[in-house]
């Protein structure tokens, strides 16, 4: 079941412009890098890492599931 969900989220035709993809990758990597710094609140670091990775993957694949739903 998890594989099907992952495939649904990250598969599909690219629906992001080149600018949106570039911004997503840059911001995602920046947020993930900031999350790697030692902080007293480990949960905040974990949340930042997840958000950063999600943005980077969104930019790398060129597909945004949220944008696909809102445009349909």
């Amino acid at each position: 079941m998890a594989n099907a969900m992952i495939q649904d989220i990250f598969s599909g035709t690219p629906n992001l412009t080149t600018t949106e993809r570039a911004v997503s990758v840059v911001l995602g990597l920046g947020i993930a890098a900031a999350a790697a710094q030692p902080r007293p609140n480990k949960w905040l670091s974990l949340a930042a890492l997840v958000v950063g990775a999600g943005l980077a993957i969104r930019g790398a694949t060129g597909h945004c599931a949220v944008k696909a739903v809102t445009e349909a």
Side-chain angles (χ1 to χ4, degrees):
M1 177 167 172
N3 289 338
M5 185 172 64
I6 290 171
Q7 187 175 10
D8 287 344
I9 292 173
F10 296 115
S11 65
T13 59
N15 58 354
L16 298 175
T17 66
T18 304
T19 304
E20 289 172 321
R21 290 179 76 167
V23 169
S24 288
V25 169
V26 170
L27 285 177
L29 293 177
I31 292 170
Q37 302 298 320
R39 301 193 190 297
N41 188 345
K42 301 295 182 192
W43 291 108
L44 185 59
S45 294
L46 179 62
L49 183 63
V50 169
V51 168
L55 280 172
I57 291 170
R58 174 186 185 257
T61 61
H63 177 75
C64 178
V66 175
K67 189 173 181 177
V69 169
T70 59
E71 289 179 348

